[in-house]
Structure formats: C-alpha cells, structure tokens
Amino acid sequence: MHTRRTHRRTRIGGTRIRATFLAAALLATACSAGGASTSAGPAAQAAGATEAATASLAPLPKATPAELSPYYEQKLGWRDCGVPGFQCATMKAPLDYAKPAEGDVRLAVARKKATGPGKRLGSLLVNPGGPGGSAIGYLQQYAGIGYPEKVRAQYDMVAVDPRGVARSEPIECLDGREMDAYTQTDVTPDDQDETDELVDAYKGFAEGCGADAPKLLRHVSTVEAARDMDVLRAVLGDDKLTYVGASYGTLLGATYAGLFPDRAGRLVLDGAMDPSLPARRLNLEQTAGFETAFQSFAKDCVRRADCPLGDRDTTPAQVGENLTAFFDDLDAKPIPTGDADGRKLTESLATTGVIAAMYDEGAWQQLRKSLTSATKENDGAGLLALSDSYYERESDGAYSNLMFANAAVNCLDLPAAFSSPDEVRDALPDFEKASPVFGEGLAWASLNCTYWPVQASGEPHRIEAAGATPIVVVGTTRDPATPYRWAEALAGQLSSGRLLTYEGDGHTAYGRGSTCIDSAIDTYLLRGTAPEDGKRCS
C-alpha cells in the first residue's frame, strides 16, 4: 500500500497525509528493499523466507567508471518551472548502469535556490517516499516552502523524480476507468470465483505495465534510483549528498549510503524501512503496524461523542469488530456515494479510505465523520474521498502514476511474497492475527507481484555503509506504514546510525509538531551535529 505519503504533505480534506509508503493495499505491494547490486545469496530470495538477511549491500568502487563520465559531467539547463521561485531541468542517466551505451533515461529535476542570509551549505535533496511519490511535487508543494526557514536559507532545496515516476518517464498501466474497476476489486475473496477475479485483476494490471514500458520496467530498482542520485550530486557540484528521505525515501537514502559511503553527508531517514526483510515478512509486519495505529485511533474514537463505532464502554477490540461488520455489509451491498462516475462505496474502497486516515492522526476527525455518514446515513462519499486521496485520483477520473510506479519498483526490488492464492490462504491466520481488521485484505494484496512481467532483480540485504558519517534514522512508535521496529533495525545495521525516536502516532516525525524532533534534525542539517543515539522525543 502506501507508505505512501507522509512527507508528501498531500491533503486529505483539511488534513495532511505526509510521507508515502505503499505496501499492501489493493494494487500496491510490499515496500521494496534492495536492488540489482547486492551481495546477498539466492537463499535470501525465497518468497516465503521468514528470517532477515545477513549479507550486506556492497559499496561501489570509489572511482567513477570512464563510461559514466559523460553523465557525471553533464550541465543542467535550468529553466522556469511555472511555479514562482522554482527552477526545473532535465538530467540524463543511463537506463542500464551495466550497459550505459544502450540508452538513457531522462529525469526531471527541480530546485529552489537558497534564500539566505547565512553561508550556503550546498544542496538538500528531498524524497517523500512511495515508491512512486513525486519528489518534485513534494518540493514545490511542501519542502521548498514549508521546511524551516533557516534550512531553506542555507540550502538549495532540490528534488528529482525517480525513474518511472511522475515527470521522469512515468510508467502507465491502466486508464482511469480501468483503475476505477481495479480499485473496486474485492480483496477479501469469499470463493473461487472471487479469487479468480482478483487474480485476473492483478494479471491485467501487470500486463498493462509491461505493455507500456517493457524496457524501463527492468530498470526502476532502488539501487538504480540511488545511483541516479549520485549523478545528480555530482552535477550539482556537491562533494557529499545531503538528503532528507521519508518512508520509502529512507530506503533510497540508506541504499545511497551503502553504495557510496564516502559520499554520504548529512542523511535524515524519517519513517525508516528495514531492507533486510523478505516481502512476506515485510508485509506481515506492516499489517501489524496498521493494527497498532488502528488501536490508537479506536481508543481515541470512543472518548469522543461523534464516534460511530462505539462509546466509552467499547473496547478497541469491539471497535474493530464493529468496523469489520461494516466492511462485511459493504461486501454484500455497496452504498451510494453521489460520485459523478457512478461509483459506489465497496468494501475495498472503504478499507482503503480507513487505511489512508491511519497515516496521520490529523485525519481521524474526518474519518469519524465519514464513517458516521456511511453507517448512519448510507452515504459513502466521505470514505470514497479518503480512498481517492490515497490512490491520487483526481475529480476528472484521472489517476497519477503513483500506484503504477509503486508496483514497478516493489516488484523489481524483492521476489514476490506469495507464489499462488493457496499460499495466501495458508498465511491468512498469521495476517489476521497481526490485524483482525486489515489482515485478510492485506494478505491478498500481497499477491500482486506474483504475476509481474519482469523478474525481480533485488533481494533482502543489510545496509551497513561502513565509513559513512553519522546518519540520523527516525522512527515513530505508532507509525502504521513503517513500524518502529524497522527504524531500530536500520539504525542497528548502519555502522554510523543514530536512532531518533518520536513517541507518538502517524507516519514519520519531522515537521509534525514536535519541537524536540525538529530541533534535533535542524541542528544536524545546519551544523552537522547528530543527535545522541537513542534520543527520544514526544
């Protein structure tokens, strides 16, 4: 689903959903970990593996290969973006780093120059996650105007849309009407016919992606995107990369550090992922993360007069049972939404809407209101709006390429979580134990890479980045999309990792209102002084 959006600051009504991590909802898959250049062995690739990988990502040679020099020495032609204060350019990178003579991929880059006063510290590259989130959109809509003024004063704020994403040769798989049908597919099949329909939906999605970009689909791995970031670093004239990555953006940043530890500067990895996990375990742990977030929502909901799922005497478990009963009712009979295209609120769309609100506790009020409308007034418009925000569906029925790029990267980075529907059925007890509310749907959502047209090139691995300067890894204790344990794991793998903990709800921590977190990160970015390992904030 998404890890999708936390630091993207995409708005859901009056609230903001931040960085993105898509891992398990209907057509997004498990968050990726890895790429084409690891030293992990074949045993780690087993789709059903449960143990974390022990092999580490191997660094690349320090010297730039001669055949890559034209890319590292290119000059960017900056132009007006059409957004006041921002400039845009196009950067070339090799489609295949192993065979650079075989063609290029063109990557969209944007920047907002340092505003001063104070000494310019270079470029600060930002990425909001996904995979599939537009870094340029995030820069122009939030980071370039919403990061602390003192940070924007001393850094050129920069973003590059990763290959296959948004403005960088975007992968397209389905048109709007096809995506509407896809997002309404039942992901909790009750019988063989519904199972076949779900499998057909995954196959159709995969076939659409393969038909659109058969060559690019083989070269959108996290490792390749991290190598693109090093080309950009050089083109911008920086000796080391300074970077803030959220959600999946933490995997990009950690991968960069693993490949180029001597070029890793001040890296902030907020809402961290654990690259050592195989897809099935990654999806299972994220499922538990959404349950943790839902339990927090449930406890808050029943204390409020407008909670449609219970009152002060209702336990969180009973809140979950009430929500599940509502989902079951929708499975039998979808309700009206008033949608111009005639869509009704199905179980799958409602589930996605609830999950979307788990990313940010600021969306809980809207979720309560939407659930009240649906359960008491037979009006599904509010939950449909939450679901549409998650899928990045516009009012005209068009979708961004977020979900397409998300699947493309995830399915290339890791072998599929399951090889067949039978394997999903066997795993259902584990997923339902991890989350009685979301477990069944998230287990079936993990099947989509099974039918991908391109074989995975990555595998689980550890990232140590030996020799890198201190890297700040941020974890939120009740993060739904990137469970806190992942931040602990990544900080433990990195030889210079410093774990910074936010005790709270929501996905990611920087810019969420904690003065303690923001001050620690700002000090690191501006002075190079990393917080003490293990520092905790609320």
Side-chain angles (χ1 to χ4, degrees):
M1 198 155 69
H2 311 318
T3 318
R4 209 164 104 359
R5 325 176 199 303
T6 301
H7 259 271
R8 285 172 359 117
R9 298 295 206 273
T10 294
R11 289 194 172 270
I12 289 187
T15 65
R16 293 184 299 186
I17 290 253
R18 294 176 175 80
T20 303
F21 169 65
L22 306 177
L26 180 60
L27 306 188
T29 177
C31 240
S32 67
S37 303
T38 76
S39 57
Q45 297 188 45
T50 57
E51 295 302 318
T54 56
S56 296
L57 180 66
L60 293 171
K62 292 184 179 181
T64 300
E67 60 269 24
L68 296 181
S69 293
Y71 298 101
Y72 275 80
E73 296 170 0
Q74 66 185 296
K75 303 295 182 183
L76 297 184
W78 294 103
R79 61 188 183 278
D80 179 70
C81 280
V83 179
F86 293 88
Q87 297 175 307
C88 290
T90 301
M91 185 184 84
K92 291 183 179 180
L95 178 65
D96 184 349
Y97 276 91
K99 301 175 182 178
E102 293 193 0
D104 301 334
V105 60
R106 299 172 67 85
L107 306 177
V109 182
R111 73 177 179 187
K112 185 177 184 183
K113 301 199 73 173
T115 57
K119 177 184 177 183
R120 182 183 175 278
L121 297 176
S123 304
L124 173 56
L125 188 65
V126 296
N127 183 280
S134 171
I136 291 178
Y138 173 64
L139 175 72
Q140 294 177 344
Q141 296 167 23
Y142 174 67
I145 56 177
Y147 267 34
E149 183 178 358
K150 54 191 175 183
V151 173
R152 292 182 286 115
Q154 294 185 253
Y155 282 104
D156 289 347
M157 301 293 295
V158 180
V160 56
D161 279 347
R163 48 178 65 201
V165 173
R167 300 164 178 83
S168 294
E169 301 193 16
I171 292 169
E172 302 290 343
C173 304
L174 303 177
D175 63 26
R177 289 190 177 276
E178 290 168 335
M179 271 298 287
D180 280 348
Y182 180 71
T183 59
Q184 295 175 69
T185 305
D186 188 350
V187 287
T188 56
D190 299 319
D191 52 36
Q192 189 58 49
D193 286 344
E194 290 187 353
T195 300
D196 291 343
E197 289 175 5
L198 180 60
V199 168
D200 287 345
Y202 286 140
K203 287 181 177 178
F205 185 89
E207 290 169 0
C209 296
D212 175 72
K215 291 185 178 179
L216 182 60
L217 217 58
R218 292 174 170 79
H219 297 288
V220 291
S221 70
T222 297
V223 163
E224 288 163 314
R227 297 191 69 171
D228 294 341
M229 287 163 52
D230 193 56
V231 173
L232 179 58
R233 172 205 57 79
V235 170
L236 293 172
D238 294 326
D239 293 331
K240 292 193 173 186
L241 180 74
T242 303
Y243 175 81
V244 176
S247 198
Y248 164 79
T250 67
L251 182 62
L252 265 179
T255 300
Y256 180 90
L259 295 173
F260 307 102
D262 58 314
R263 301 174 194 169
R266 302 171 188 179
L267 306 186
V268 177
L269 310 180
D270 184 12
M273 292 185 59
D274 180 357
S276 72
L277 299 180
R280 187 183 303 184
R281 181 169 164 187
L282 183 128
N283 280 0
L284 183 62
E285 292 192 8
Q286 192 190 49
T287 298
F290 277 104
E291 182 65 22
T292 297
F294 178 75
Q295 292 288 314
S296 189
F297 163 76
K299 292 175 183 177
D300 179 80
C301 186
V302 297
R303 293 197 295 263
R304 301 179 182 276
D306 64 345
C307 181
L309 299 174
D311 54 30
R312 290 183 179 273
D313 295 326
T314 310
T315 67
Q318 291 170 328
V319 172
E321 291 169 0
N322 293 339
L323 182 60
T324 299
F326 167 60
F327 288 157
D328 289 343
D329 289 343
L330 290 177
D331 190 28
K333 185 178 180 180
I335 64 175
T337 64
D339 177 60
D341 295 312
R343 292 178 300 158
K344 291 187 175 182
L345 184 70
T346 61
E347 177 191 14
S348 56
L349 290 173
T351 302
T352 302
V354 173
I355 283 175
M358 293 299 100
Y359 281 83
D360 191 332
E361 68 273 25
W364 290 358
Q365 180 180 9
Q366 184 177 352
L367 177 58
R368 294 194 305 272
K369 181 178 179 181
S370 298
L371 285 169
T372 298
S373 296
T375 57
K376 300 184 184 305
E377 301 166 14
N378 205 44
D379 179 4
L383 284 172
L384 182 64
L386 284 166
S387 178
D388 284 350
S389 72
Y390 183 89
Y391 285 119
E392 293 198 349
R393 183 189 191 272
E394 303 297 334
S395 58
D396 63 359
Y399 288 76
S400 79
N401 95 309
L402 170 68
M403 288 296 171
F404 310 141
N406 179 262
V409 175
N410 285 332
C411 296
L412 191 62
D413 271 359
L414 285 179
F418 298 106
S419 63
S420 69
D422 286 341
E423 284 195 359
V424 177
R425 293 189 187 96
D426 290 342
L428 282 177
D430 289 337
F431 277 79
E432 291 173 332
K433 181 179 179 181
S435 175
V437 177
F438 305 118
E440 182 183 7
L442 296 185
W444 284 104
S446 305
L447 185 65
N448 69 330
C449 284
T450 303
Y451 309 103
W452 203 243
V454 175
Q455 184 175 359
S457 60
E459 56 193 26
H461 57 268
R462 293 169 55 84
I463 298 179
E464 297 177 359
T469 56
I471 298 172
V472 177
V473 179
V474 188
T476 297
T477 54
R478 294 185 294 278
D479 190 316
T482 51
Y484 179 66
R485 193 208 68 76
W486 292 357
E488 293 180 304
L490 181 59
Q493 292 170 35
L494 292 167
S495 62
S496 60
R498 301 282 184 92
L499 179 62
L500 176 62
T501 298
Y502 174 55
E503 297 176 344
D505 297 293
H507 184 38
T508 73
Y510 187 41
R512 291 181 55 86
S514 170
T515 301
C516 174
I517 290 287
D518 293 352
S519 176
I521 293 175
D522 292 346
T523 298
Y524 173 62
L525 291 174
L526 295 171
R527 302 177 189 172
T529 304
E532 179 183 355
D533 186 34
K535 180 178 177 65
R536 301 182 76 88
C537 298
S538 59

